[in-house]
Amino acid sequence: MRAVCVIGLGLIGGSVLRAATSAGRAGWAATTSEGDAAAARAEGYSVEATVEDALRRAAAADALVVIATPLPAVREILRKVAWHAPEAWLTDVVSVKEPVSSEVGQLLPGARYAGGHPMAGTSSSGWSAGGPDLFSDAAWAVTVEDDTREDAWCEAAALALDCGARVVPTSAAEHDTAVARISHLPHVLAAVLAAVGSDGGPLAMSLAAGSFRDGTRVSAGSPELIRAMTEGNRVALLDAVDDTLGRLGAARGSLASTGSLKSTVDAGNQARRILDALGDIERERTTIPLGTRNTLRRLREIGDRGGRIRTLDANSAVAEVPPMG
C-alpha cells in the first residue's frame, strides 16, 4: 500500500490521514496550523515540522501527496511540490476541481495527478472535527480527463476506497457543475435563509425548529472556508443561482396571483423522493478492465450514469450502476 503525505490537517485532511493509516498505509502530514499539528501529534500521528520536510519525505518514499488545504492556498503548495517532490504521485481533496487542475497543469505539467473530492463533512472544522469513519460509504469524485494517466487515477481512487468511500469517476468540469447545485448552492441558500430568519427578530428565533435548523446547518461552518469553496466555483454557481432565482420568481408570481405554491412544492417533493429512492435501487454490477484504450472512457460513463466504483485491483475496477431506463 502506497504511503500518503497529507498537506493540511483540517476536517478533511485530518480524516484522510486517520482513515488511510487505519487502512494500513504509512502516513504523515504537515500543516500551518500549530493547534492542529499539536493535536495530531498528541494522538500519535506523524506531523513534520514544515511542508517542505513532508514533501521531501514523500519524494524519498514515492508517496501519494494529498493536498487538503483551502483553494486559495493550493497554488503555493503546488509550487512547493514542484520544487521538493516533482515526481510524486498527486491528488487533492479540494471541493472545486477545474481551478486545481489548471494550477497543476501550469506548475506540474508532468505530474502523476488525478483530482479528488470526498462528498462528506460537517459544519465543524479543524483536526478535532474529523475522524477515520468520516468517508464511510460516501461518494468520492476522482477526476478523469483525456490526458489523465490511468495509473495516477488508480492511485487516487485506491486512496478513496481505502478510506471507505465509493469512487465516482468524472471530469473536473462536470464535477464542478454538479457540486454547484448540490453542495455550493445549498451553502448560499443556507446563508440567505439564516439571515432572513434572523431578520424576524427574537420571536422568530425562539420559534425556530427542525426545518429552520436543518436548512441553515451548513451556514454554521467557517465563513472563510465557505467563501473559498463557493467563490472558487463562481461560473457554475452563477448558473445554479440563476436557476434558483427563476424558480423563486415563478413561485412568487404564483403565490401573488393565485395564492398557490403547488407547482413549486410538488416539484421539490418529487425531486426529494428521487434522491431518497436512490438508496433502495438495486444496482447492477459491471467490470471495467484496466489498461485498455477504452478504460478512461468507460470510467467516465460509469460516473455519468450515477455509478460508483466499489473495488479496484491491478486488472479491473468493479462498479455498481443504476439500471438503464
Side-chain angles (χ1 to χ4, degrees):
M1 302 176 75
R2 191 175 300 281
V4 293
C5 168
V6 182
I7 308 300
L9 283 177
L11 168 66
I12 301 300
S15 297
V16 169
L17 181 63
R18 290 177 174 107
T21 54
S22 292
R25 291 179 182 245
W28 59 91
T31 177
T32 58
S33 168
E34 293 182 4
D36 286 340
R41 290 190 186 108
E43 294 183 28
Y45 292 94
S46 176
V47 182
E48 297 290 334
T50 67
V51 170
E52 291 84 354
D53 288 343
L55 292 174
R56 283 191 287 267
R57 184 175 172 183
D62 198 27
L64 173 63
V65 174
V66 184
I67 298 177
T69 65
L71 180 62
V74 167
R75 184 173 182 82
E76 181 59 28
I77 296 299
L78 288 176
R79 287 185 183 277
K80 293 180 179 181
V81 175
W83 183 259
H84 296 286
E87 302 299 322
W89 302 92
L90 181 65
T91 189
D92 71 279
V93 288
V94 181
S95 64
V96 188
K97 298 273 58 80
E98 280 203 293
V100 178
S101 179
S102 176
E103 295 282 16
V104 171
Q106 292 177 34
L107 298 172
L108 288 158
R112 295 178 289 183
Y113 169 77
H117 179 207
M119 302 303 297
T122 72
S123 57
S124 300
S125 58
W127 169 268
S128 61
D133 299 325
L134 181 66
F135 311 114
S136 180
D137 212 32
W140 187 316
V142 179
T143 57
V144 184
E145 311 295 346
D146 292 341
D147 60 350
T148 298
R149 285 180 48 165
E150 185 181 312
D151 56 356
W153 187 90
C154 286
E155 290 291 346
L159 173 66
L161 294 170
D162 284 348
C163 288
R166 302 294 173 251
V167 173
V168 179
T170 182
S171 70
E174 289 169 334
H175 166 276
D176 289 357
T177 297
V179 297
R181 292 177 174 267
I182 54 86
S183 177
H184 302 163
L185 177 64
H187 278 83
V188 174
L189 295 180
V192 172
L193 180 58
V196 170
S198 181
D199 286 347
L203 175 61
M205 291 293 95
S206 70
L207 294 174
S211 61
F212 185 77
R213 292 182 184 279
D214 290 347
T216 61
R217 178 184 61 81
V218 296
S219 64
S222 163
E224 292 77 16
L225 293 179
I226 293 171
R227 285 190 57 202
M229 173 176 59
T230 54
E231 293 171 3
N233 200 18
R234 175 175 173 268
V235 174
L237 182 54
L238 279 171
D239 285 342
V241 169
D242 286 344
D243 191 356
T244 303
L245 292 175
R247 290 173 183 271
L248 284 174
R252 187 194 185 285
S254 179
L255 185 64
S257 61
T258 68
S260 173
L261 287 173
K262 177 176 173 52
S263 294
T264 298
V265 172
D266 285 354
N269 181 266
Q270 181 181 6
R272 177 57 195 235
R273 287 177 180 274
I274 292 172
L275 175 64
D276 291 340
L278 286 175
D280 299 324
I281 290 177
E282 186 170 344
R283 295 171 178 258
E284 302 171 350
R285 288 212 167 197
T286 185
T287 299
I288 302 97
L290 301 180
T292 76
R293 60 182 298 182
N294 296 320
T295 295
L296 295 181
R297 176 181 60 80
R298 290 199 61 191
L299 288 170
R300 282 272 296 275
E301 289 173 352
I302 292 296
D304 290 344
R305 286 183 57 188
R308 299 179 180 184
I309 303 298
R310 300 283 298 193
T311 62
L312 182 70
D313 61 29
N315 300 311
S316 63
V318 176
E320 291 182 344
V321 294
M324 297 292 287

